[in-house]
Amino acid sequence: MAAAFAMGLLGAVIYGRVQTNEIYGEIARETKEYEIVQSENVRMHSDLEAKVAIKSVEEYAEQELGLQQLDQSQIEYIQLQTDDSVEIPDEEKNLFVRIKDKFESFMEYLKG
């Protein structure tokens, strides 16, 4: 009976070690996959930065869009006059509106 118990205990210990080794192996595989994904992320970030770099934008504008750098001969300066002003004349009121305004001002005078 003691031998059977010892064999059972030995089997349980071996089974536990096997399970532990399997878990360690899975952790190692997942860690390796994580490192691969992380390095891919770094690569993609550097690609993105390269695509939005000023030099890349300039090359795209020149080659794809046909744009070119501004030349000194293309610059024209204009001078604005600052003394000008715009005056809007008052609307000319008709006879009835003027009478109404006079009446309202008279009523205000009476009220004090």
Side-chain angles (χ1 to χ4, degrees):
M1 180 91 157
F5 179 72
M7 288 299 281
L9 189 60
L10 181 63
V13 170
I14 291 174
Y15 180 74
R17 297 273 178 162
V18 168
Q19 291 295 324
T20 304
N21 284 341
E22 286 179 3
I23 290 174
Y24 283 141
E26 187 175 336
I27 289 173
R29 284 190 299 277
E30 295 297 326
T31 302
K32 186 174 182 180
E33 184 176 339
Y34 172 74
E35 290 171 355
I36 290 171
V37 169
Q38 201 171 21
S39 66
E40 181 69 15
N41 184 29
V42 170
R43 185 193 63 79
M44 292 174 83
H45 274 290
S46 63
D47 284 349
L48 180 63
E49 288 174 5
K51 286 182 180 181
V52 296
I54 295 295
K55 189 66 176 171
S56 298
V57 172
E58 287 177 355
E59 288 176 4
Y60 180 80
E62 289 175 356
Q63 295 172 358
E64 299 294 325
L65 302 177
L67 301 176
Q68 56 184 333
Q69 281 282 352
L70 188 64
D71 190 276
Q72 276 292 20
S73 65
Q74 295 172 308
I75 298 174
E76 293 183 19
Y77 295 97
I78 59 170
Q79 185 174 4
L80 300 176
Q81 295 177 350
T82 58
D83 297 336
D84 294 344
S85 63
V86 176
E87 294 182 18
I88 300 173
D90 294 334
E91 285 185 27
E92 193 171 315
K93 299 178 182 176
N94 65 22
L95 178 66
F96 297 109
V97 173
R98 286 188 286 180
I99 292 173
K100 179 185 155 233
D101 289 344
K102 292 287 184 185
F103 179 73
E104 287 176 353
S105 67
F106 178 72
M107 293 302 288
E108 287 179 15
Y109 174 75
L110 289 179
K111 289 180 183 177

